[in-house]
Amino acid sequence: MAPSTHFKLNNGTQIPAVGLGTWRSEPGQVRQAVSFALKNGYSHIDAALIYGNEHEVGQGIKDSGVPREKIFITSKLWNTHQNNVAEGLQKTLEALGTDYLDLYLIHWPVRLVPNESSALLPVNPDGTRSVDRSWDQNETWRQMEEVYKAGKVNAIGVANWSIPYLEELKKKWTVVPAVNQVELHPFLPQHALKDWCDKNGILLEAYSPLGSEGAPLMANPAIQEIAKKNDVSAAAVLISYHVNRGVVVLPKSIKESRIVSNSQIISLSSEDMDVLNGLAAQGKAKRINTPLFGWDLGFEDWYKQ
Ligand SMILES: NC(=O)c1ccc[n+]([C@@H]2O[C@H](COP(=O)([O-])OP(=O)(O)OC[C@H]3O[C@@H](n4cnc5c(N)ncnc54)[C@H](OP(=O)(O)O)[C@@H]3O)[C@@H](O)[C@H]2O)c1
């Protein structure tokens, strides 16, 4: 069976299975990458205020000439805007040059309090991040539900939420998150999180599918063996793994040939999927994204899954 090109969100809307990542895509490069991707088969762009390049992403969208309604645009509420979701959203809409988003995510279940050290990545005098540990994530979600009900975004979701955090959110949500965007790859498959999200109608999205900067997971011998067997690149195996698993995947590239090849999803056999699904359990578990504010977010449990 051919792999899915789209998945359905819990509010009935469709989301393209592959989206172009834009983290660390420099201004000066990302405009061309976004425009090229949209002219060459992509219809889904993953952006965020903290990436500092939403203005250029917006320019790339315009350059492409593709009508807005044919593009699925995701962005994320940055941690320093958790107490004012409408304001954070407005900044993103203005930078991207659009009046609505297809999907808006809470970037991390953490509120950072801006201070004189930085507006976006504030630190305390001792160098730790200025996290507001008393902040209730249910309040952030309530504000997300408000912008959703006001029609400014077509779907809302979360990113970097582990099961304990989702369990807390579930106690009060009136809108079920459409998506949870998390680090996912064969070395961090998060099987328990996937089961939980499946049961609750939340679609997972895979970030850092290649292992982030420099695509280090491509060098893994087990991945290379499956790539050789299927006569494709290691990148194709790592990216296709997610779509075969019913998960959206967000590979980032600013190089035209890679942008094209990264969108070509292959069908993986159940034997290959079993190998990929089992690698982490053989002592190869690995988490790549561990930000300074990533304390106590359920990450430890993720390693065990
Ligand atoms: N929600 C979150 O907290 C969160 C966190 C991390 C990422 N994300 C999202 O997920 C996206 C993807 O994750 P990521 O950017 O961390 O990393 P990634 O997509 O796993 O890897 C990107 C790296 O791989 C290289 N690359 C891409 N395609 C390749 C190919 N076919 N062959 C060899 N190298 C290749 C890229 O270089 P070139 O650009 O030079 O090709 C870049 O160095 C992000 O851009 C962002 O949109 C979200």
Side-chain angles (χ1 to χ4, degrees):
M1 208 171 69
S4 310
T5 59
H6 288 74
F7 296 112
K8 203 182 202 176
L9 299 180
N10 60 17
N11 64 2
T13 57
Q14 297 276 326
I15 182 169
V18 182
L20 182 74
T22 61
W23 183 33
R24 294 179 178 141
S25 297
E26 299 297 324
Q29 296 178 321
V30 70
R31 177 175 180 169
Q32 161 272 334
V34 167
S35 172
F36 177 83
L38 292 173
K39 287 191 270 193
N40 289 277
Y42 284 72
S43 56
H44 178 181
I45 305 293
D46 185 73
L49 185 139
I50 191 64
Y51 301 163
N53 58 8
E54 286 196 312
H55 181 64
E56 289 78 9
V57 169
Q59 288 175 322
I61 290 170
K62 282 209 180 62
D63 291 350
S64 74
V66 177
R68 170 69 185 88
E69 65 276 12
K70 302 258 187 237
I71 308 171
F72 191 103
I73 306 178
T74 300
S75 186
K76 311 180 194 94
L77 174 82
W78 184 240
N79 304 357
T80 48
H81 290 291
Q82 286 224 351
N83 59 336
N84 195 337
V85 171
E87 188 182 273
L89 174 61
Q90 193 53 33
K91 285 192 176 169
T92 276
L93 292 175
E94 279 167 19
L96 289 170
T98 181
D99 52 9
Y100 73 97
L101 293 177
D102 296 277
L103 177 63
Y104 197 41
L105 308 176
I106 299 180
H107 207 144
W108 290 88
V110 172
R111 179 180 175 230
L112 289 176
V113 186
N115 60 27
E116 60 287 352
S117 71
S118 167
L120 295 177
L121 288 168
V123 288
N124 298 312
D126 66 359
T128 57
R129 289 279 179 227
S130 86
V131 174
D132 179 356
R133 288 164 197 256
S134 67
W135 184 257
D136 182 359
Q137 289 298 313
N138 286 308
E139 168 55 19
T140 314
W141 188 250
R142 188 192 64 72
Q143 294 189 29
M144 292 290 282
E145 291 179 344
E146 264 180 17
V147 295
Y148 174 63
K149 287 172 187 163
K152 286 187 176 289
V153 296
N154 287 346
I156 49 174
V158 294
N160 297 299
W161 287 51
S162 56
I163 295 171
Y165 276 72
L166 289 165
E167 294 279 11
E168 274 306 302
L169 195 65
K170 192 177 177 179
K171 290 179 186 163
K172 297 226 177 117
W173 70 37
T174 64
V175 177
V176 181
V179 154
N180 186 14
Q181 181 182 122
V182 293
E183 180 177 330
L184 280 183
H185 41 69
F187 308 96
L188 196 68
Q190 305 209 53
H191 294 301
L193 181 68
K194 176 147 192 322
D195 286 349
W196 197 98
C197 287
D198 284 349
K199 282 194 192 98
N200 286 276
I202 300 171
L203 185 67
L204 281 186
E205 293 188 345
Y207 77 59
S208 303
L210 304 173
S212 209
E213 198 63 35
L217 302 183
M218 287 177 63
N220 182 275
I223 303 297
Q224 293 205 348
E225 203 179 304
I226 294 176
K228 198 169 161 200
K229 190 176 136 192
N230 287 277
D231 199 18
V232 295
S233 68
V237 171
L238 287 163
I239 293 167
S240 298
Y241 167 66
H242 300 286
V243 182
N244 280 262
R245 207 180 167 214
V247 168
V248 169
V249 63
L250 305 166
K252 172 264 175 184
S253 182
I254 44 120
K255 299 201 169 67
E256 294 189 348
S257 61
R258 290 176 177 176
I259 291 173
V260 170
S261 62
N262 288 351
S263 69
Q264 291 160 357
I265 302 300
I266 63 154
S267 210
L268 290 164
S269 67
S270 54
E271 294 78 37
D272 288 344
M273 286 301 285
D274 287 347
V275 172
L276 294 167
N277 277 325
L279 286 173
Q282 293 166 11
K284 298 204 171 103
K286 187 179 176 65
R287 164 167 270 280
I288 290 148
N289 285 273
T290 48
L292 273 178
F293 47 77
W295 49 269
D296 201 18
L297 295 179
F299 286 0
E300 292 314 309
D301 287 346
W302 294 10
Y303 278 107
K304 293 179 205 144
Q305 289 159 22

